[in-house]
Amino acid sequence: MKNFEIIKKCSQTKARVGKIFTPHGEIETPVFIPVGTQGTVKTLSPEELKEIDVQIIQGNAYHLYFRPGIEVIKKAGGLHNFINWDRTILTDSGGFQVFSLSHLRKITPEGVKFSYPLNGSEHLFTPEKSIEIQNTLGADILMCFDECTSYPCDYTYAKNSLALTLDWAKRCKKKFQVSSLKFKEDKNDQPSTINHKLLFGIIQGSTYLDLRKESALRTVEIGFDGYALGGLAVGEPKEEMYKVIEETVPLLPENSCHYLMGVGTAEDIWEAVELGIDLFDCVQPTRNARNGQLFTTFGKINIKNAIYRDDFRPLDEECDCLLCRNYMRAYLSHLYRAGEILALRLNTLHNLYFMVKLLKLIQISILENRFFEEKKKFLDKYFSLVPEN
Amino acid sequence: MKNFEIIKKCSQTKARVGKIFTPHGEIETPVFIPVGTQGTVKTLSPEELKEIDVQIIQGNAYHLYFRPGIEVIKKAGGLHNFINWDRTILTDSGGFQVFSLSHLRKITPEGVKFSYPLNGSEHLFTPEKSIEIQNTLGADILMCFDECTSYPCDYTYAKNSLALTLDWAKRCKKKFQVSSLKFKEDKNDQPSTINHKLLFGIIQGSTYLDLRKESALRTVEIGFDGYALGGLAVGEPKEEMYKVIEETVPLLPENSCHYLMGVGTAEDIWEAVELGIDLFDCVQPTRNARNGQLFTTFGKINIKNAIYRDDFRPLDEECDCLLCRNYMRAYLSHLYRAGEILALRLNTLHNLYFMVKLLKLIQISILENRFFEEKKKFLDKYFSLVPEN
């Protein structure tokens, strides 16, 4: 079974519309993946995510392993069952979280030893362990356990880290293959047309183009169902990020899915799709929503600003989401100022709907060979708002 | 236009099923009113309230006057428009809040002078001002501005307070009548069959039966669309509360609506309906939900309790709400422990649904002359749960 198919290539750029096949459904790309770290996309219910047509969410191996605990999720019949989500789940390997524990962790060739900050208990995460956790969670798309370097990153450090990540990628693949065989045996009463789980490799190498190239070629050599660019959007200038994407994507198999981790803004997504990226995830739409920042057709506004206290217009007159159809800015301002939870809910729902709509617009612009026109039209409007004082 | 009609009297008790007619719809009683102090029933959206068949919510004149400010709501076209709720709204007069500011307020015959705690500004709330605010909010059911005495309350204090409350009740009615005439003129293009706004008088007198009797008789003498028992559920023993209800309700016109303010628990509601009460409001179902306490057919449970971490059953197997149909206790436990907002939402939705269902059960038990049987059946089950350790 193939797990990714290109439906249409853009005539103007490297952009493409594609489809990912997973055990929990098909996903049209380019697509944005809302982050649901702890088994919930913060403030929203699965029903609401479905209403705004979210097809895939992200879970986190590290967080869920500790809380509620992997045994609980196993007994609950997996993450889908536990959180009442029957669509696709991609899980982060936990690498990013473990490496973020800077002074609490020690890297060895075997894996990473660390103290869990909430109770000080000692743990060892290895590539095998990460795959095992992600499998137990029942992820549809698993990510290799890698080291995500920070920015700026010393060249030698980046080079050595890369070697480690490549070694771990091989071990992840091996573990995944063994468990996939087991998975197939478990399911041997199923028809053979069932979609399989996917394992994605991760390209690292900081902002060094030669290291990125080496990482890409050697990761492709190992062979994965899809390829992610990791270690970007970690503080480097945007031009450097775009350059890495531009130089790396052509080294990946065209017929595989390309995932840019941790991105991002509307403008970054347009740029990255243009360079051949299919998948995105980022906490920004949800986190910023909880901080009062809302995305509109005419740019970002912050509902905390005093001017919205008596602004009786909808948030975005060109948006047809629940919030924009039913509520006025003055009410959002009031809810936010009064510390009401409904503010966080409505803001989050709107920002995610904005992302879903943006990615659909991008898909259509590719299908209709109007990528540049739509990109310009969108960004001209999006940057037309006079900045708030 | 009549504003309340009795549909069926219980053959066994003073309970009755009735209907309230308001400008925003009809409400079948006995009914529970969810509290939406700041223009939102905490954590929920109006759509969700409608899904669980909530017909009426409560707003608060004091809180909304200050935040977002009465001018904002006026310009927004009233509270219904501002919060996107097209069903009935009852507003609290703000009296309870003003009197709670103990050392920041001074009572005079004219009204109450107080400092607004959030910014220290000085204000005077009078009966007229309260009615004006409630009218500007666009309330369907307005409450008289009264003094809600605390418990225990000195007899002389209660007696004097009562006189003040009666004087204020007259002034509230006068102000309401003037503004109702204005209201009718404004709407003179409407058919004359439009339902009118309602003004409810409030009976006080602490736990002194003679004062309660005096308050009831003299409030009825003034004449209101409905009558509330205030100053109960403020710490007095339950038996005293029941006694006050038992002695007071027979003094009220049978064909008017009887409202017990600030109550309450499932068992209190059964008792009070039996004594002739039609309306209830209480923060308990919503506030307790946010603290992890959930109502089930078999009693109250606290989802914070460690035993629910790996309890994979639905919360209440006899409940068909969104939460009970789709989620397991272990997930609710996880969400609560992880500090996720979805926990507060699902808990609140469930507890309010529990109340809606309870009041419907009570209605049916009256309609079918099975009040005592259903009451016993419900309470036997409700108190059957072994207390959690």
Side-chain angles (χ1 to χ4, degrees):
Chain A
M1 287 292 295
K2 67 181 166 188
N3 55 56
F4 182 71
E5 155 184 301
I6 294 174
I7 292 170
K8 163 91 183 177
K9 287 185 207 172
C10 177
S11 56
Q12 304 171 313
T13 70
K14 292 200 187 109
R16 62 264 190 91
V17 168
K19 204 177 256 183
I20 310 175
F21 302 89
T22 85
H24 286 87
E26 302 173 5
I27 302 140
E28 288 190 0
T29 63
V31 76
F32 178 84
I33 312 172
V35 177
T37 307
Q38 301 195 111
T40 162
V41 173
K42 286 192 186 298
T43 83
L44 299 184
S45 70
E47 291 76 21
E48 284 165 327
L49 294 171
K50 286 184 180 179
E51 268 167 35
I52 59 168
D53 208 17
V54 168
Q55 299 292 335
I56 172 172
I57 61 172
Q58 189 189 84
N60 188 285
Y62 168 86
H63 286 287
L64 296 168
Y65 176 77
F66 288 108
R67 195 165 62 184
I70 196 68
E71 279 306 310
V72 168
I73 296 184
K74 190 176 181 176
K75 284 185 200 157
L79 189 57
H80 286 91
N81 217 23
F82 188 61
I83 71 174
N84 187 36
W85 177 253
D86 57 8
R87 298 186 178 178
T88 299
I89 296 177
L90 175 149
T91 46
D92 217 356
S93 69
F96 182 81
Q97 283 69 32
V98 169
F99 281 96
S100 304
L101 301 172
S102 47
H103 61 285
L104 294 173
R105 49 93 171 156
K106 198 186 158 209
I107 308 172
T108 68
E110 192 191 358
V112 186
K113 272 191 184 160
F114 63 96
S115 309
Y116 181 54
L118 291 195
N119 62 18
S121 57
E122 295 285 325
H123 300 271
L124 172 68
F125 265 28
T126 62
E128 291 80 10
K129 173 117 180 172
S130 173
I131 296 298
E132 194 185 318
I133 296 171
Q134 294 181 70
N135 260 329
T136 306
L137 291 173
D140 299 290
I141 304 178
L142 294 80
M143 300 301 298
C144 281
F145 189 71
D146 67 329
E147 176 173 9
C148 175
T149 52
S150 45
Y151 179 85
C153 181
D154 178 75
Y155 184 85
T156 313
Y157 189 94
K159 192 173 166 64
N160 292 337
S161 164
L162 191 63
L164 190 73
T165 286
L166 281 164
D167 179 55
W168 287 358
K170 283 180 207 154
R171 287 164 56 189
C172 282
K173 185 177 174 180
K174 196 172 162 193
K175 178 74 181 174
F176 177 75
Q177 284 176 322
V178 172
S179 44
S180 291
L181 288 175
K182 192 179 165 305
F183 175 75
K184 280 181 202 162
E185 280 166 21
D186 288 350
K187 300 269 180 183
N188 60 8
D189 51 337
Q190 300 282 337
S192 63
T193 53
I194 188 173
N195 292 324
H196 298 312
K197 293 174 172 228
L198 290 74
L199 176 64
F200 280 23
I202 305 179
I203 317 293
Q204 290 288 351
S206 187
T207 48
Y208 305 107
L209 297 179
D210 60 325
L211 296 184
R212 284 280 171 183
K213 186 176 172 181
E214 184 190 341
S215 177
L217 294 174
R218 292 180 58 189
T219 307
V220 170
E221 210 175 280
I222 301 170
F224 290 96
D225 299 315
Y227 299 89
L229 304 193
L232 292 174
V234 290
E236 76 284 359
K238 293 224 165 184
E239 295 65 36
E240 295 210 43
M241 177 174 85
Y242 296 153
K243 193 72 193 163
V244 167
I245 303 169
E246 190 179 356
E247 298 285 323
T248 309
V249 171
L251 305 174
L252 306 175
E254 191 185 25
N255 285 314
S256 68
C257 184
H258 309 152
Y259 171 20
L260 179 58
M261 301 179 83
V263 171
T265 64
E267 59 274 27
D268 284 347
I269 287 175
W270 278 105
E271 293 300 326
V273 167
E274 188 174 330
L275 298 170
I277 296 293
D278 310 299
L279 242 64
F280 300 89
D281 79 280
C282 189
V283 294
Q284 212 197 50
T286 42
R287 180 179 292 161
N288 291 19
R290 299 197 304 282
N291 292 325
Q293 190 186 68
L294 292 160
F295 304 158
T296 83
T297 312
F298 302 92
K300 288 176 278 193
I301 73 168
N302 199 311
I303 204 68
K304 284 185 278 193
N305 195 311
I307 57 173
Y308 302 119
R309 295 177 81 151
D310 56 359
D311 184 338
F312 303 101
R313 294 173 296 170
L315 173 65
D316 182 350
E317 278 166 8
E318 299 195 5
C319 178
D320 59 348
C321 81
L322 179 84
L323 181 151
C324 292
R325 274 186 285 117
N326 295 319
Y327 301 94
M328 48 186 93
R329 292 174 177 189
Y331 184 56
L332 298 180
S333 161
H334 164 63
L335 288 177
Y336 201 92
R337 285 169 182 271
E340 289 288 355
I341 279 172
L342 186 56
L344 312 183
R345 290 181 53 182
L346 292 174
N347 291 358
T348 304
L349 194 69
H350 170 81
N351 276 3
L352 277 187
Y353 184 73
F354 182 87
M355 297 307 288
V356 168
K357 253 195 345 182
L358 168 62
L359 276 289
K360 278 188 185 158
L361 170 66
I362 293 177
Q363 285 178 17
I364 290 169
S365 76
I366 298 167
L367 290 171
E368 300 181 353
N369 288 316
R370 293 186 287 111
F371 186 85
F372 281 128
E373 297 88 308
E374 291 296 339
K375 178 184 172 191
K376 184 176 183 318
K377 203 168 124 193
F378 177 91
L379 293 176
D380 281 353
K381 256 191 189 174
Y382 193 61
F383 288 106
S384 68
L385 202 65
V386 180
E388 294 170 355
N389 45 10
Chain B
M1 287 291 297
K2 68 181 165 188
N3 55 54
F4 181 72
E5 156 184 300
I6 294 174
I7 292 170
K8 163 93 184 175
K9 287 187 208 172
C10 179
S11 57
Q12 304 172 313
T13 69
K14 292 200 188 106
R16 62 263 193 91
V17 168
K19 204 178 258 185
I20 310 173
F21 302 88
T22 85
H24 285 88
E26 303 174 5
I27 303 140
E28 287 189 1
T29 62
V31 75
F32 178 84
I33 312 173
V35 177
T37 306
Q38 302 195 111
T40 163
V41 173
K42 285 193 187 298
T43 83
L44 299 185
S45 69
E47 292 77 21
E48 284 165 328
L49 294 171
K50 287 184 180 179
E51 268 166 37
I52 60 169
D53 208 17
V54 169
Q55 300 291 336
I56 172 172
I57 62 172
Q58 189 190 83
N60 187 285
Y62 168 86
H63 286 288
L64 295 169
Y65 176 77
F66 288 108
R67 196 164 63 182
I70 196 69
E71 280 306 310
V72 168
I73 296 184
K74 190 177 182 178
K75 285 186 199 157
L79 189 58
H80 286 90
N81 217 24
F82 188 60
I83 71 174
N84 187 36
W85 177 253
D86 57 8
R87 298 186 178 177
T88 299
I89 296 177
L90 176 149
T91 45
D92 217 357
S93 70
F96 183 80
Q97 283 69 31
V98 169
F99 281 97
S100 304
L101 301 172
S102 45
H103 60 286
L104 294 173
R105 49 91 172 157
K106 198 185 160 210
I107 307 172
T108 69
E110 193 191 358
V112 186
K113 272 190 185 163
F114 63 97
S115 308
Y116 181 55
L118 290 194
N119 62 18
S121 56
E122 295 285 325
H123 301 269
L124 171 69
F125 266 28
T126 62
E128 292 79 9
K129 174 115 181 175
S130 174
I131 296 298
E132 194 185 318
I133 296 171
Q134 294 181 70
N135 261 329
T136 305
L137 291 174
D140 299 290
I141 304 178
L142 294 79
M143 300 301 299
C144 281
F145 189 71
D146 67 328
E147 177 172 11
C148 175
T149 51
S150 44
Y151 179 86
C153 181
D154 177 77
Y155 183 84
T156 312
Y157 189 94
K159 191 173 168 64
N160 292 337
S161 164
L162 191 62
L164 190 72
T165 286
L166 281 163
D167 179 54
W168 288 358
K170 283 179 209 154
R171 287 164 56 189
C172 283
K173 184 176 176 184
K174 194 170 164 196
K175 177 75 182 173
F176 178 76
Q177 284 176 320
V178 173
S179 44
S180 292
L181 289 174
K182 193 180 164 302
F183 175 75
K184 280 181 203 161
E185 281 166 20
D186 289 349
K187 300 269 180 184
N188 59 10
D189 50 338
Q190 300 281 339
S192 64
T193 52
I194 189 172
N195 291 325
H196 298 311
K197 293 173 172 228
L198 290 73
L199 176 65
F200 279 23
I202 305 179
I203 317 292
Q204 291 288 350
S206 188
T207 48
Y208 305 107
L209 296 178
D210 61 325
L211 296 185
R212 285 279 171 184
K213 186 175 173 182
E214 184 190 341
S215 178
L217 294 175
R218 291 181 58 192
T219 307
V220 170
E221 209 174 281
I222 301 170
F224 291 96
D225 299 315
Y227 298 89
L229 304 193
L232 292 175
V234 292
E236 77 282 0
K238 293 223 167 187
E239 295 64 36
E240 295 211 41
M241 177 174 85
Y242 298 152
K243 192 75 193 159
V244 168
I245 302 170
E246 191 179 355
E247 298 284 323
T248 309
V249 171
L251 306 174
L252 306 176
E254 191 185 26
N255 284 314
S256 66
C257 185
H258 309 153
Y259 171 20
L260 179 57
M261 301 179 85
V263 172
T265 63
E267 58 275 26
D268 284 347
I269 288 175
W270 278 105
E271 293 302 325
V273 167
E274 187 174 331
L275 298 169
I277 296 291
D278 310 299
L279 242 63
F280 301 89
D281 79 280
C282 190
V283 294
Q284 211 197 52
T286 42
R287 180 180 290 162
N288 291 19
R290 299 196 304 282
N291 292 325
Q293 190 188 70
L294 293 161
F295 304 160
T296 83
T297 313
F298 302 92
K300 289 176 277 193
I301 73 168
N302 198 311
I303 204 67
K304 284 185 279 194
N305 195 311
I307 56 172
Y308 301 119
R309 295 177 81 150
D310 55 359
D311 184 337
F312 302 102
R313 294 173 297 170
L315 173 65
D316 182 350
E317 277 165 8
E318 298 195 5
C319 177
D320 58 348
C321 81
L322 179 83
L323 181 150
C324 293
R325 274 186 285 117
N326 294 319
Y327 301 94
M328 48 186 93
R329 293 173 176 190
Y331 184 57
L332 299 180
S333 160
H334 164 62
L335 288 177
Y336 201 91
R337 286 169 182 270
E340 290 288 354
I341 280 172
L342 186 56
L344 313 183
R345 289 181 53 181
L346 292 174
N347 291 358
T348 304
L349 193 70
H350 170 82
N351 276 4
L352 278 187
Y353 184 73
F354 182 89
M355 297 307 289
V356 169
K357 254 193 347 180
L358 168 62
L359 276 290
K360 278 187 185 160
L361 170 67
I362 294 177
Q363 285 178 19
I364 291 169
S365 76
I366 298 167
L367 289 170
E368 300 181 353
N369 289 317
R370 293 187 286 112
F371 186 85
F372 282 128
E373 297 88 308
E374 291 296 337
K375 178 184 171 192
K376 185 176 183 316
K377 204 168 122 192
F378 177 91
L379 293 176
D380 281 353
K381 256 193 190 174
Y382 194 62
F383 289 106
S384 67
L385 202 65
V386 179
E388 293 169 356
N389 45 9

